[in-house]
């Protein structure tokens, strides 16, 4: 029975690694789920459903706190830092958020300089602005209005 507990524990650990460290899904999550399923299936077949659930629950109660503590310790090691991005984007290093003046464009109208398919450019309040529609095609030289701004994304609609 100890081997089955070990398989369940390794499976849970692989699922935690998938959730907290590795991007995407599959590299550790699928083998982890398979190990858990196989171990529970064997325990159910050999010892009965009640015993399989008891051992699985006991393993979860023991492994989850150990996995959380272990993975937070791994993040501080050089191997853990190889998986986790530690870089920040500071203003002093030249990184800037979207211009705040874009937010002031909401409700203003202008003229499409290029066809919007759905992205293009427009002249709004005397400034050339990269814009996007909500999916519709808008020909060039059409009057447009800014609906909302998300970061540096200016969303417009046609006034014609």
């Amino acid at each position: 029975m100890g081997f089955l507990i070990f398989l369940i524990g390794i499976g849970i650990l692989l699922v935690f690694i998938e959730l907290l460290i590795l991007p995407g899904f599959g590299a550790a999550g699928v083998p982890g789920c398979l190990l858990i399923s196989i171990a529970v299936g064997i325990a159910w077949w050999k010892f009965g459903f009640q015993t399989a659930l008891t051992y699985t629950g006991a393993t979860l109660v023991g492994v989850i706190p150990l996995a959380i503590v272990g993975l937070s310790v791994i993040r501080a090691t050089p191997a853990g830092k190889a998986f986790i991005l530690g870089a920040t984007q500071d203003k002093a290093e030249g990184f800037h958020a979207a211009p705040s003046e874009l937010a002031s464009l909401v409700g203003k109208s202008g003229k499409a300089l290029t066809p919007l398919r759905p992205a293009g450019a427009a002249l709004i309040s005397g400034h050339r602005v990269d814009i996007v529609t909500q999916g519709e095609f808008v020909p060039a030289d059409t009057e447009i209005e800014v609906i909302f701004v998300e970061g540096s994304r200016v969303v417009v609609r046609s006034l014609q």
Side-chain angles (χ1 to χ4, degrees):
M1 194 64 179
F3 180 69
L4 297 176
I5 293 174
F6 177 75
L7 284 180
I8 294 170
I10 294 297
I12 293 169
L13 183 62
L14 286 173
V15 170
F16 267 102
I17 287 172
E18 180 76 37
L19 292 174
L20 301 175
I21 295 177
L22 298 177
F25 180 77
V30 170
C33 291
L34 283 174
L35 281 177
I36 293 169
S37 299
I38 290 169
V40 169
I42 291 171
W44 185 359
W45 178 64
K46 258 184 145 176
F47 304 107
F49 184 71
Q50 185 67 38
T51 306
L53 285 180
T54 302
Y55 279 99
T56 304
T59 305
L60 281 170
V61 168
V63 169
I64 289 177
L66 288 174
I68 291 171
V69 170
L71 291 174
S72 36
V73 168
I74 285 175
R75 289 179 181 210
T77 66
K81 288 181 182 176
F83 286 102
I84 300 168
L85 179 64
T88 59
Q89 297 180 343
D90 295 325
K91 194 171 188 174
E93 296 174 3
F95 294 101
H96 300 285
S100 59
E101 63 265 9
L102 290 179
S104 67
L105 296 177
V106 176
K108 294 191 177 175
S109 58
K111 190 176 205 177
L113 297 174
T114 64
L116 307 179
R117 306 180 180 154
L123 190 63
I124 304 171
S125 299
H127 299 288
R128 182 183 172 99
V129 181
D130 291 325
I131 59 171
V132 65
T133 67
Q134 290 183 313
E136 66 272 4
F137 172 78
V138 176
D141 297 323
T142 303
E143 291 293 319
I144 50 99
E145 177 186 23
V146 177
I147 302 170
F148 61 92
V149 175
E150 288 179 332
S152 62
R153 183 174 172 240
V154 180
V155 182
V156 300
R157 68 177 177 89
S158 173
L159 290 177
Q160 295 179 354

